[in-house]
Amino acid sequence: MTIQKRAMTGLLLSMLLAGGIGVTDARVATALEIGKPAPDFTLPSTTGEKITLSQYRGKLVLIEVYGAAFSPV
């Protein structure tokens, strides 16, 4: 086998292994029912504080989710 073929084989095997690890770590999502409370969770704010959804119980909450490439930081 030439060096180029070995390098390509190693690269492909690495990609397959990394992809397989990502698939095995996936969690099963469950659907939320309309009218039921959202599950409580905690996330860091842009200032580093921890914010919990339950802190805003009874208030209107808008949750904006975006990819890390578009992070405001």
Side-chain angles (χ1 to χ4, degrees):
M1 217 189 260
T2 66
I3 294 175
Q4 289 177 336
K5 285 185 180 179
R6 284 184 188 176
M8 185 60 74
T9 302
L11 177 64
L12 290 173
L13 288 174
S14 299
M15 290 171 56
L16 287 171
L17 178 61
I21 290 170
V23 170
T24 58
D25 191 35
R27 294 185 173 87
V28 177
T30 57
L32 300 176
E33 293 184 34
I34 296 174
K36 299 290 182 182
D40 196 27
F41 59 88
T42 303
L43 295 172
S45 72
T46 56
T47 60
E49 301 173 63
K50 293 194 181 230
I51 297 177
T52 304
L53 182 61
S54 60
Q55 292 174 302
Y56 298 95
R57 188 158 310 237
K59 298 178 183 176
L60 182 62
V61 176
L62 171 67
I63 300 172
E64 184 177 356
V65 180
Y66 47 88
F70 300 104
S71 175
V73 178

